[in-house]
């Protein structure tokens, strides 16, 4: 009868729908179990740290730039350390990782990295830095009437520049050294500025030559303006370090916490200005919040002569030696302000061969000698300071 066929059709439809739902649940459970299994047996993505000579696979181990701990994402080897804190590099590891920079870019990276590490790790907001300066590769002959300036704006030109010590081979004297130090200082400030890393926009860098009273002493003041109040200035009331007796007083910048300042080739005559700017830019509550102020290639030597040794004394004879040009009094004042050497890269000539000395704030002195081909420096020894 029609009623019997209709009842059988309805029962068959209910059976098929129940079967379809059961099948869909089965496949859903199967897919969920498969994803869980894959996730359980897949290597986890974790963060590892490498220090000194432990660098990523796509990085040249002989690169002079990787000197401090950084992070990388690695999905190959499971993490064996339960602690998320970074492992600080030891002095032996840093000594082993130090290399002489072979190009201008490497020197800028290595210098800015050491300054940044000293500021972040040790709270050293007052630093002294000595580096080599770029020079045109065709300007190695003494006695030439004209020597081309070092071109550091283009990448190809940067690779061709020679890194030369600040010695008597610079025919133009201290002003030629200043013309080479000026673009170098700007590149260091661009590397150090937080705006370059966060926004990709380089900071505004101001060059102030008023600090050079004579105009020919090769002294300059470079600083960034990134803070909201960094555009305001303050007057130097004692006329020290610029302007002269009857000239205008030196205008010092007001630095915010994110600003940075570098005195280029300072002399002992501008220590008063350094002291004033350092004092007014120091945060009394937290030294790490103070802006970074550095001295680049000071014009006083690392070695001492008779006047330097005598001027380190507080006696009347020591004061007289300081008056005659001894650097002892200036060094004591800078030491009281907290100025410490954070990066030193110097060059000398020994028996016709080029020697390079390099030191960070957290390393020993490392000595390198140029090989016979003149294309690489070989480590020859270490010396504890």
């Amino acid at each position: 009868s029609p009623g019997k066929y209709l009842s059988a059709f309805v029962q068959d439809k209910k059976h098929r729908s129940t079967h379809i739902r059961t099948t869909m649940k089965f496949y859903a459970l199967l897919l969920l179990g498969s994803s869980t299994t894959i996730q359980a047996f897949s290597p986890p993505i974790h963060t590892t740290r490498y220090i000194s000579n432990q660098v990523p696979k796509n990085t040249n181990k002989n690169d002079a730039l990787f000197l401090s701990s950084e992070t990388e994402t690695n999905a190959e080897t499971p993490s064996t350390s339960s602690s998320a804190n970074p492992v600080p590099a030891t002095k032996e590891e840093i000594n082993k990782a130090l290399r002489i920079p072979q190009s201008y870019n490497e020197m800028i990276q290595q210098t800015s990295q050491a300054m940044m590490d000293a500021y972040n790790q040790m709270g050293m907001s007052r630093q002294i830095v000595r580096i080599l300066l770029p020079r045109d590769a065709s300007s190695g002959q003494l006695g030439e009437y004209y020597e081309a300036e070092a071109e550091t704006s283009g990448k190809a030109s940067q690779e061709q520049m020679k890194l030369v010590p600040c010695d008597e081979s610079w025919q133009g004297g201290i002003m030629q050294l200043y013309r080479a130090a000026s673009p170098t200082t700007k590149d260091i400030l661009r590397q150090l500025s937080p705006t370059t890393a966060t926004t990709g926009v380089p900071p505004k860098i101001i060059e102030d030559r008023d600090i050079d009273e004579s105009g020919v002493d090769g002294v300059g003041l470079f600083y960034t303006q990134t803070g909201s109040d960094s555009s305001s200035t303050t007057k130097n009331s004692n006329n020290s370090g610029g302007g002269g007796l009857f000239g205008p007083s030196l205008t010092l910048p007001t630095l915010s916490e994110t600003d940075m300042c570098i005195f280029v080739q300072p002399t002992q005559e501008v220590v008063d200005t350094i002291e004033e700017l350092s004092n007014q830019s120091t945060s009394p509550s937290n030294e790490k919040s103070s802006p970074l102020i550095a001295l680049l290639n000071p014009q006083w030597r690392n070695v001492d002569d008779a006047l330097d040794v005598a001027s380190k004394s507080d006696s009347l004879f020591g004061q007289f030696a300081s008056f005659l040009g001894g650097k002892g009094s200036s060094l004591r004042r800078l030491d009281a302000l907290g100025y410490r050497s954070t990066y030193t890269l110097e060059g000398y000539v020994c028996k016709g061969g080029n020697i390079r000395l390099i030191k960070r704030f957290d390393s020993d002195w490392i000595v390198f000698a140029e090989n016979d081909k003149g294309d690489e420096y070989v480590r020859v020894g270490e010396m504890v300071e």
Side-chain angles (χ1 to χ4, degrees), residues 334-363:
L334 293 175
D335 185 72
L337 293 172
Y339 281 90
R340 301 291 185 270
S341 295
T342 56
Y343 181 81
T344 302
L345 175 61
E346 293 185 332
Y348 301 92
V349 177
C350 180
K351 295 184 179 180
N354 290 322
I355 305 297
R356 296 289 184 265
L357 305 178
I358 187 171
K359 186 184 185 308
R360 279 170 47 112
F361 67 97
D362 51 1
S363 74

Side-chain angles (χ1 to χ4, degrees), residues 110-282:
Q110 194 177 103
T111 303
S112 59
Q113 184 66 58
M115 296 175 67
M116 190 179 305
D117 290 344
Y119 184 83
N120 294 331
Q121 299 175 11
M122 306 297 294
M124 301 172 66
S125 59
R126 305 294 181 259
Q127 305 184 11
I128 300 176
V129 178
R130 292 182 181 271
I131 59 174
L132 308 181
L133 292 179
R135 197 173 186 180
D136 188 79
S138 60
S139 303
Q141 300 296 326
L142 295 177
E144 291 182 353
Y145 180 73
Y146 174 78
E147 179 176 334
E149 297 294 339
E151 180 60 46
T152 60
S153 58
K155 184 175 180 180
S157 301
Q158 292 173 354
E159 295 297 330
Q160 296 176 0
M161 292 294 103
K162 296 172 57 180
L163 299 178
V164 183
C166 305
D167 53 19
E168 64 277 359
S169 65
W170 295 76
Q171 304 159 149
I174 194 64
M175 290 307 298
Q176 185 184 9
L177 289 170
Y178 181 83
R179 291 193 295 270
S182 175
T184 305
T185 304
K186 293 179 181 178
D187 287 337
I188 292 175
L189 287 174
R190 293 189 187 100
Q191 288 287 334
L192 291 173
S193 177
T195 60
T196 304
T198 56
T199 64
V201 179
K204 179 181 179 181
I205 300 176
I206 297 178
E207 177 183 3
D208 190 351
R209 289 278 288 127
D210 290 339
I211 193 175
D212 191 351
E213 182 178 351
S214 66
V216 294
D217 286 337
V219 182
L221 176 63
F222 292 76
Y223 58 93
T224 63
Q225 284 192 346
T226 57
S228 58
D229 61 341
S230 58
S231 59
S232 61
T233 56
T234 180
K235 288 290 184 179
N236 186 354
S237 58
N238 57 9
N239 286 333
S240 61
L245 182 60
F246 301 102
S249 60
L250 175 65
T251 302
L252 295 178
T254 300
L255 304 176
S256 66
E257 294 182 3
T258 57
D259 287 327
M260 301 171 184
C261 174
I262 295 181
F263 288 86
V264 177
Q265 300 183 156
T267 61
Q268 297 185 54
E269 287 74 16
V270 300
V271 172
D272 290 337
T273 305
I274 297 173
E275 185 175 21
E276 182 173 354
L277 182 60
S278 300
N279 288 331
Q280 77 176 27
S281 303
T282 300

Side-chain angles (χ1 to χ4, degrees), residues 55 59-67 97-99 106 110:
V55 298
T59 305
N60 183 8
K61 290 186 178 181
N62 295 324
D63 199 332
L65 309 184
F66 291 92
L67 301 175
L98 278 175
R99 299 288 185 274
E106 285 189 9
Q110 194 177 103

Side-chain angles (χ1 to χ4, degrees), residues 17-31:
S17 62
T18 303
H19 177 73
I20 292 174
R21 287 197 300 269
T22 304
T23 305
M24 291 178 64
K25 290 182 180 180
F26 174 76
Y27 279 114
L29 292 174
L30 181 62
L31 291 175

Side-chain angles (χ1 to χ4, degrees), residues 126-130 266-272 274-275 295 297-314 318 321-323 325-341 385:
R126 305 294 181 259
Q127 305 184 11
I128 300 176
V129 178
R130 292 182 181 271
T267 61
Q268 297 185 54
E269 287 74 16
V270 300
V271 172
D272 290 337
I274 297 173
E275 185 175 21
L295 312 181
N297 288 357
Q299 294 192 35
W300 54 82
R301 300 179 300 171
N302 276 338
V303 295
D304 295 339
D305 56 18
L307 283 178
D308 294 331
V309 174
S311 63
K312 293 181 178 181
S313 173
D314 292 332
S322 298
F323 175 77
K327 64 184 180 183
S329 176
S330 299
L331 294 183
R332 285 198 304 271
R333 294 171 62 185
L334 293 175
D335 185 72
L337 293 172
Y339 281 90
R340 301 291 185 270
S341 295
E385 187 176 20

